[in-house]
Amino acid sequence: MAVSFLEHGTGRLLDIVRPGMLCAFDFDGTIAPIVDDPAAARVAPSVLRRLAVLAEFTPVAIITGRSLEDISLRLDFFPEFVIGNHGMEGLPGEEWNEERYRLSCRAWLHDLQGALGRAGLDPAIWIEDKIYSLSVHYRLAQDPQAMESKLRRLLEDTLPGVKIVDGKFVFNLLPADAPDKGQALEMLRDLVRAPSALYVGDDVTDESVFHLPHDDLLTLRIENRPDTAAEFFLPDLAGMPQFLDMLLERLSGILHAEAASSMRRHR
Ligand SMILES: O=P(O)(O)OC[C@H]1O[C@H](O[C@H]2O[C@H](CO)[C@@H](O)[C@H](O)[C@H]2O)[C@H](O)[C@@H](O)[C@@H]1O
């Protein structure tokens, strides 16, 4: 169970911040508010400004369930890494797997379109084709709660062996052996040799990061959930600017102190 970041997490933030740390963020529900139409999602300007500054100080990664093509239209700043499809797309050195994921996903899309057509469930259910994975959205169904179990059964029957990860009124369909966000975060950390890291997310696919050892990784979930493995929670996205300000203040303080001491040494 996570504890409130604002009540109990600030000391931990001060400990974890080190020059060169990796700061990683999920997209929907974390830096962009949830909206009915995924095409309308945008980073809140107050968060965008702070992320842009952060990316000048230290490696920043966005690790999202969206495709790279989609997310690249939505980030108006320059993070060092943008990883799509829950960890499948954009990981340096992992590109050789992408064609295999793409081919499986084409077959799922065909089978699923057929099964959904035959089942005649709510017409508001739609498939987001992300080339390497699919998301089946039911947010706008007449009774989303009732639809959840029916749709889950249909997906399990139609696509046995496919990994189904729940999300916010969405089922994410992924190859069973694809890297998850946790593996993506660890690979990026190794790549930049980050002495520490933090990750902010809001959903079930982010739990693979929250389950990583917490020694030098701070994890924060937007919205408290009793079943989360994150260390801390923020009640909602409105707390992000304050969180980023604390992070920026600490990081810039350490970097300035280091620069000052290096100047003294070289005098
Ligand atoms: O890992 P994320 O970046 O959080 O992506 C997870 C899914 O996010 C999107 O769907 C969710 O956000 C939509 C826009 O706010 C909302 O309408 C939908 O109900 C949510 O499930 C995205 O469309 C999916 O592809 C991502 O897998």
Side-chain angles (χ1 to χ4, degrees):
M1 195 166 126
V3 296
S4 160
F5 174 77
L6 292 174
E7 284 171 41
H8 304 286
T10 47
R12 171 93 167 106
L13 182 68
L14 298 185
D15 284 348
I16 204 89
V17 172
R18 289 166 216 161
M21 75 181 296
L22 175 66
C23 295
F25 304 84
D26 164 56
F27 183 76
D28 291 281
T30 298
I31 59 169
I34 292 287
V35 287
D36 281 350
D37 176 8
R42 286 282 178 280
V43 184
S46 58
V47 170
L48 182 64
R49 274 199 310 277
R50 289 161 170 93
L51 287 176
V53 176
L54 185 64
E56 287 173 11
F57 283 136
T58 206
V60 168
I62 302 298
I63 308 181
T64 174
R66 289 179 180 255
S67 68
L68 282 190
E69 192 186 358
D70 176 326
I71 196 71
S72 60
L73 305 171
R74 291 168 210 289
L75 296 176
D76 300 316
F77 75 108
F78 300 101
E80 184 156 345
F81 301 103
V82 182
I83 307 300
N85 267 296
H86 307 273
M88 261 185 280
E89 230 190 330
L91 268 181
E94 292 297 301
E95 300 83 359
W96 61 280
N97 272 315
E98 288 178 357
E99 183 59 6
R100 186 166 56 87
Y101 299 144
R102 191 186 69 77
L103 290 174
S104 320
C105 191
R106 291 312 84 202
W108 306 344
L109 182 62
H110 173 268
D111 293 351
L112 192 54
Q113 280 168 335
L116 275 173
R118 285 189 297 278
L121 299 179
D122 193 311
I125 294 172
W126 65 281
I127 305 171
E128 183 184 355
D129 178 5
K130 301 187 288 186
I131 310 298
Y132 305 103
S133 81
L134 304 176
S135 290
V136 185
H137 292 266
Y138 59 97
R139 172 177 293 278
L140 298 179
Q142 259 190 354
D143 184 349
Q145 261 80 25
M147 189 48 63
E148 184 181 343
S149 53
K150 283 188 202 157
L151 190 53
R152 186 193 302 277
R153 216 168 313 121
L154 180 137
L155 296 174
E156 286 170 352
D157 291 347
T158 312
L159 302 172
V162 171
K163 187 159 129 193
I164 302 176
V165 183
D166 295 31
K168 294 185 167 164
F169 299 111
V170 72
F171 288 111
N172 298 295
L173 309 180
L174 309 153
D177 64 342
D180 58 26
K181 289 187 176 190
Q183 288 162 295
L185 184 99
E186 291 209 301
M187 288 172 87
L188 297 181
R189 268 187 75 162
D190 287 350
L191 202 68
V192 294
R193 298 173 199 268
S196 61
L198 66 80
Y199 182 78
V200 190
D202 75 314
D203 209 347
V204 180
T205 60
D206 302 308
E207 290 291 332
S208 59
V209 182
F210 300 154
H211 274 100
L212 294 174
H214 280 155
D215 325 335
D216 45 17
L217 168 68
L218 184 152
T219 56
L220 180 62
R221 181 163 174 153
I222 308 291
E223 284 180 20
N224 192 13
R225 291 285 300 245
D227 52 352
T228 185
E231 273 179 289
F232 300 104
F233 73 87
L234 283 177
D236 53 42
L237 218 146
M240 275 297 281
Q242 192 187 348
F243 170 76
L244 290 172
D245 280 345
M246 285 185 214
L247 172 59
L248 280 167
E249 193 183 329
R250 176 69 172 166
L251 192 56
S252 58
I254 292 179
L255 291 173
H256 283 133
E258 276 202 346
S261 106
S262 150
M263 274 173 66
R264 276 196 300 276
R265 275 200 310 272
H266 291 98
R267 244 186 235 143

